[in-house]
Amino acid sequence: MKKKLMFIFNSHSGKGQIKNKLLEIVDIMVKADYEVTIYPTQAREDALGKVRREAKDYDLVVCSGGDGTLDEAVTGMMLSEQKVPLGYIPAGSTNDFAASLKIPKDMIKAAEIAVNGKTFSCDVGEFNGDSFIYVAAFGLFTAVSYRTNQELKNILGHAAYILEGAKSLIDIKAYHMRVEYEDQVYEDEFIYGMITNSTSVGGFKNLTGKNVLLDDGLFEVTLIKMPKNPLELNEIILSLTSRKDESDLIYSFKTDYIRFYPDEVIPWTLDGEFGGEHQAVEIHNRCRALEIMVKNRESYPK
């Protein structure tokens, strides 16, 4: 009996390049001895629901799209009655997690890995009961990705995020909150925070720290305090752009569990998509909770 594969794709991701590669991708899947069911997503959270309901009926699920499509497929898989391996063919404008897993941007090469590669058990984040695969964030720039319209993303790529972010710099919003992890407590005014399991965020590599592994059960956490003057703001920018943790205005650490208690309800982003508005937030690392197809079975990155 042939193995069964469900192929879910977002035809609008990136520049819609999947439309020109679809037949070739499906041919690769069939040649790998899969019976293929093809499903183009129709609306937001369509991939989530499809994977959640039907993953148990397949031997492999492959999704194609941007980080948002991947996030939906991961969330659906985490909610599924039975988890099966997930293949990913990146087709968005950023594709942070694919870069961390060394999944190539070339869709045909990525398709080959999705069906003929090895399974890698990677960590998954749990955010107040929701799931994310590589980043949960609040504050400065976090609204950029889901505010930037798809057409602008397609035309400008990474520049779209930078342009939208520049407009946000006019008014820096700070959030007073208490942050707890392990036996540590920080209470301060923060303009930005990210909890990551990735070597790349927003297309910028090495922003999440050193020695990042995607299967070690630990998040990399970055919290940026509110600068009191332009000199402190420049210090933060220099520290981030130089990738050196030399500023007292930035907290960087690793943990598997963290809690946030802000004084107000604040918006969050999960994998570049709007993650809702929350006051108390608990984030857990679900170590090696998802099998994803990669070229070589090893800890990532190497």
Side-chain angles (χ1 to χ4, degrees):
M1 183 181 292
K2 280 194 173 184
K3 299 173 290 183
K4 297 179 68 177
L5 183 156
M6 177 165 61
F7 178 37
I8 300 177
F9 66 93
N10 180 350
S11 61
H12 302 292
S13 289
K15 298 175 181 175
Q17 57 183 316
I18 185 71
K19 298 172 186 176
N20 300 321
K21 304 288 186 178
L22 188 57
L23 288 178
E24 197 171 351
I25 289 170
V26 174
D27 186 60
I28 289 169
M29 294 172 173
V30 172
K31 280 184 168 61
D33 204 30
Y34 281 100
E35 179 182 302
V36 184
T37 298
I38 304 171
Y39 186 79
T41 58
Q42 304 297 304
R44 181 179 171 84
E45 297 193 348
D46 197 13
L48 189 161
K50 188 77 172 174
V51 174
R52 178 180 185 175
R53 293 188 304 270
E54 301 182 24
K56 65 183 186 299
D57 301 323
Y58 293 87
D59 300 288
L60 176 66
V61 173
V62 178
C63 69
S64 181
D67 290 328
T69 303
L70 175 64
D71 176 80
E72 286 193 26
V74 168
T75 301
M77 192 67 74
M78 295 298 290
L79 295 171
S80 175
E81 291 179 25
Q82 180 180 331
K83 296 182 182 66
V84 300
L86 178 67
Y88 180 44
I89 302 173
S93 54
T94 306
N95 306 313
D96 283 309
F97 199 63
S100 296
L101 288 172
K102 299 183 175 64
I103 296 174
K105 293 181 180 179
D106 184 294
M107 299 182 76
I108 302 306
K109 291 180 180 178
E112 289 279 4
I113 292 171
V115 295
N116 296 314
K118 307 293 185 182
T119 57
F120 170 69
S121 297
C122 69
D123 300 343
V124 176
E126 182 178 304
F127 175 98
N128 281 4
D130 200 351
S131 296
F132 66 95
I133 191 65
Y134 78 94
V135 62
F138 69 87
L140 196 65
F141 293 118
T142 57
V144 169
S145 182
Y146 57 80
R147 261 203 336 236
T148 307
N149 68 58
Q150 189 63 51
E151 185 178 357
L152 186 59
K153 286 184 187 178
N154 292 344
I155 296 169
L156 298 174
H158 300 315
Y161 298 104
I162 297 169
L163 288 171
E164 287 290 314
K167 287 189 285 187
S168 301
L169 286 174
I170 297 169
D171 182 21
I172 298 177
K173 169 73 174 175
Y175 300 98
H176 183 267
M177 65 175 69
R178 188 173 79 257
V179 181
E180 300 177 355
Y181 76 99
E182 299 174 4
D183 59 349
Q184 301 292 314
V185 178
Y186 295 140
E187 186 164 356
D188 220 314
E189 301 277 336
F190 296 103
I191 62 171
Y192 180 77
M194 64 179 180
I195 300 86
T196 62
N197 191 44
S198 176
T199 60
S200 172
V201 174
F204 299 98
K205 293 186 177 181
N206 304 317
L207 203 60
T208 59
K210 299 177 181 178
N211 305 315
V212 176
L213 295 176
L214 308 185
D215 63 346
D216 62 355
L218 296 172
F219 295 120
E220 285 68 41
V221 180
T222 303
L223 302 172
I224 303 177
K225 295 165 61 174
M226 179 68 180
K228 295 183 175 65
N229 52 58
L231 285 177
E232 288 192 347
L233 178 58
N234 287 335
E235 179 184 327
I236 290 169
I237 293 170
L238 181 62
S239 180
L240 291 174
T241 54
S242 66
R243 276 64 162 176
K244 294 180 180 179
D245 186 12
E246 297 177 347
S247 174
D248 293 335
L249 299 166
I250 301 177
Y251 297 121
S252 299
F253 53 89
K254 294 175 183 277
T255 186
D256 64 346
Y257 175 57
I258 188 167
R259 299 180 298 274
F260 295 85
Y261 300 104
D263 290 350
E264 60 186 294
V265 173
I266 63 175
W268 284 75
T269 178
L270 302 179
D271 296 334
E273 301 293 324
F274 182 55
E277 296 185 338
H278 306 266
Q279 189 148 16
V281 165
E282 292 191 10
I283 300 176
H284 300 257
N285 186 299
R286 299 304 183 199
C287 185
R288 303 183 182 181
L290 177 74
E291 288 192 328
I292 193 160
M293 301 299 291
V294 296
K295 187 173 183 179
N296 300 302
R297 187 187 291 115
E298 58 182 41
S299 289
Y300 280 83
K302 282 289 188 182

